[in-house]
Amino acid sequence: MSPDVFLQHLVNGISLGFIFGLIAIGYTLVYGVVKLVNFAHGDVFMMATFFVFYGFTLFMMPWWLAVIFGIVVTILLGVGIERIAYRPLRDAPRISSLCAAIGMSFLIQNIATVVFGGRQKSFYVPPSLTTTFVIGGVRIQAITIATIVVSVIVLLLLTFLIKRTKMGLAMRALSVDFDTAKLMGINVNRTIAFTFAIGSALAALSAILWALRYPQIWPFMGVFPGWRAFTAAIIGGIGSIVGALFGGFMLGMVTILLVAFFPEAAGYRDAIIFVLLVVILLVKPTGLFGEKKSR
């Protein structure tokens, strides 16, 4: 493999890793605060693409306005799921919330199939994002550059939010000790709703970047990136934002470079990724960046 071809695959792996990382951070934010694996996260991801699609095609919005519309409605969907399906079970056994999350995932998938239809739809890609730049011998699409730039900006804003704002402080307090945080006067419902809003916004943004990269959408499109990002969150240490991003990068690289170097093993890609997951958890059960909790 020539250096130019390797760099080509490397750039593609970084771009895909950012998308997986953004989705994984959505998982890890919710788990870090509520200790709930939101299995409907991948389906919220899917719904965002349809909100943008119909905002553009049905309501005739300009593309940029359809994107904003899709993100806002996705945030409302995520907060609504938390209010309807998860909040009533907050004091119930963990298995109840887990079952509710799985049930909500199937519910959203089936509602989307009935409402939007099961056929794939073409997602509009602005001509400016289809441009290809040639740097040396490396061909880089504009959507790849946009994905990296947007992801870096979002991650910087998220870091500022978590580290420098009162709401971020409340989220960190809940993640450390739920009961003590309540005694200190933190509004638990508002903080958790805000966490779901941020997680849903990340799902919407990553879904738009994904659809611009692979411009076909359908009701079950969130299954693959959702499970891949969930795997990334576990590898990195679910509950750790840095771990989720690192896990996303790792899986993005594996997804692209494995096929590039060993095309005959492409059919075993998912198996290899899960073997990697098992090996990492055997060595470090809390994930690469996860912290061991004292009992």
Side-chain angles (χ1 to χ4, degrees), residues 41-271:
H41 192 66
D43 304 292
V44 172
F45 170 99
M46 172 270 297
M47 292 294 289
T49 62
F50 280 100
F51 293 147
V52 176
F53 175 83
Y54 283 108
F56 180 74
T57 59
L58 185 62
F59 299 110
M60 305 300 291
M61 296 179 179
W63 187 81
W64 62 270
L65 184 58
V67 168
I68 296 175
F69 170 77
I71 293 174
V72 171
V73 178
T74 303
I75 290 173
L76 295 176
L77 174 63
V79 173
I81 290 173
E82 187 276 329
R83 180 66 182 86
I84 295 171
Y86 301 150
R87 187 179 299 183
L89 299 174
R90 191 173 297 161
D91 296 324
R94 292 280 176 82
I95 189 64
S96 301
S97 298
L98 180 64
C99 292
I102 296 173
M104 183 57 66
S105 173
F106 285 120
L107 177 63
I108 294 175
Q109 289 174 9
N110 284 276
I111 289 176
T113 302
V114 172
V115 175
F116 304 134
R119 292 184 178 180
Q120 293 187 358
K121 295 176 174 58
S122 295
F123 192 84
Y124 174 75
V125 181
S128 59
L129 294 178
T130 62
T131 305
T132 301
F133 302 97
V134 180
I135 303 175
V138 181
R139 300 173 62 85
I140 303 176
Q141 289 186 328
I143 181 58
T144 299
I145 298 174
T147 297
I148 295 173
V149 171
V150 170
S151 299
V152 169
I153 293 173
V154 169
L155 290 171
L156 290 175
L157 291 175
L158 181 63
T159 301
F160 177 80
L161 171 68
I162 299 296
K163 299 293 186 181
R164 302 292 183 182
T165 66
K166 289 185 178 180
M167 186 58 72
L169 178 62
M171 292 167 62
R172 286 185 285 139
L174 284 178
S175 68
V176 173
D177 193 318
F178 205 90
D179 294 328
T180 302
K182 287 195 292 185
L183 292 175
M184 294 175 64
I186 291 176
N187 189 321
V188 173
N189 288 334
R190 184 174 62 184
T191 304
I192 292 177
F194 183 80
T195 303
F196 271 85
I198 296 299
S200 300
L202 291 174
L205 186 60
S206 56
I208 294 166
L209 294 173
W210 179 278
L212 291 171
R213 184 185 179 99
Y214 309 105
Q216 296 292 325
I217 61 174
W218 68 98
F220 295 94
M221 64 170 288
V223 174
F224 169 76
W227 278 104
R228 189 62 59 85
F230 177 59
T231 304
I234 295 176
I235 288 176
I238 192 163
S240 168
I241 293 177
V242 175
L245 184 60
F246 182 84
F249 267 111
M250 181 182 291
L251 292 196
M253 290 297 181
V254 170
T255 301
I256 298 296
L257 297 182
L258 181 66
V259 177
F261 282 100
F262 307 102
E264 67 280 358
Y268 302 97
R269 181 171 53 191
D270 289 339

